[in-house]
Amino acid sequence: MTHYEIPRPIDGDVVELILDDHRLFEALLRDLRDATADRETARETLSNVLIAHGEAEEEKVYTQLKSKRAITAHEAEHGEEEHAEGNEALLALLECKGTDTQKFDDAVEELAKALNHHIGEEEQTILNPAREDVSEKVRQDLGVAWAARRNELLDEGAGSIANVRKIVARAHKEGLLPADEEEDE
């Protein structure tokens, strides 16, 4: 069984810390596509770090960047919607029984599509303005706050299937995702 080391920074420029996680997501997606890799461990690792990363961003970073006028409320909400879409795709991946099926491969591709889209947009529309419009001191302070919350969520097992289900259900309830068809029946 492969072991993936999830970096646990405690400080740094929040932009650089987020970018480091983005590169980790990309590496884990590559392993999820590799039939010779330990896909189960890669899936579990990606789930934990992706959920902790996104929740910490929404709680600690987006709010502060809005208050500093580095991003608009619309940009923050759009980022949250994209997190919700990625979390929904992650849930579909977690619900796959095995890692050697076409269903699993399709779920990996859906997650990769959502995640790569979000990474590209976030790096351009949120992280670039943060670099330009927010002081280094604020970025360092945000890095400490984001890392602390992310590490706390990792310790709590943020990527468990039960927690991901709860987060996806909350996103539906908050209107970040379309209402479940099951609720309409």
Side-chain angles (χ1 to χ4, degrees):
M1 182 161 114
T2 306
H3 176 74
Y4 292 93
E5 189 65 39
I6 299 174
R8 288 180 172 254
I10 57 171
D11 59 17
D13 182 322
V14 72
V15 172
E16 296 306 317
L17 296 174
I18 289 171
L19 290 172
D20 288 346
D21 266 6
H22 288 179
R23 303 300 77 86
L24 177 59
F25 300 156
E26 292 163 351
L28 288 164
L29 284 169
R30 279 191 300 278
D31 283 354
L32 287 169
R33 289 180 172 123
D34 180 351
T36 65
D38 182 352
R39 291 168 140 188
E40 186 57 48
T41 302
R43 173 169 63 173
E44 181 182 324
T45 302
L46 180 59
S47 184
N48 279 309
V49 74
L50 184 60
I51 294 296
H53 171 101
E55 293 290 295
E57 257 181 4
E58 290 179 22
E59 292 174 27
K60 301 297 182 184
V61 179
Y62 287 3
T63 307
Q64 283 298 310
L65 292 180
K66 278 191 308 191
S67 74
K68 301 289 183 192
R69 300 193 190 282
I71 62 171
T72 66
H74 171 75
E75 288 165 332
E77 183 176 333
H78 185 69
E80 291 173 10
E81 288 169 355
E82 288 185 347
H83 284 170
E85 290 165 4
N87 293 342
E88 190 171 52
L90 174 64
L91 181 58
L93 181 68
L94 292 173
E95 289 176 337
C96 292
K97 298 293 182 224
T99 61
D100 60 349
T101 64
Q102 188 61 49
K103 181 179 179 183
F104 180 86
D105 290 343
D106 292 345
V108 167
E109 290 313 308
E110 283 302 308
L111 177 57
K113 182 177 160 189
L115 200 48
N116 288 328
H117 172 83
H118 173 67
I119 287 171
E121 275 197 8
E122 184 174 72
E123 289 180 6
Q124 291 175 1
T125 64
I126 294 177
L127 299 184
N128 275 337
R131 278 188 190 106
E132 296 168 1
D133 301 336
V134 178
S135 72
E136 184 176 337
K137 164 102 172 81
V138 170
R139 291 193 318 268
Q140 293 290 330
D141 291 346
L142 282 174
V144 169
W146 176 83
R149 182 63 178 140
R150 176 186 172 276
N151 291 337
E152 179 182 4
L153 290 165
L154 285 169
D155 291 340
E156 294 171 2
S160 72
I161 194 167
N163 193 51
V164 176
R165 281 187 181 122
K166 186 170 65 173
I167 289 169
V168 169
R170 182 183 72 211
H172 281 287
K173 186 176 180 182
E174 292 174 357
L176 294 170
L177 292 169
D180 283 331
E181 291 91 34
E182 295 170 7
E183 293 175 5
D184 298 336
E185 294 175 4

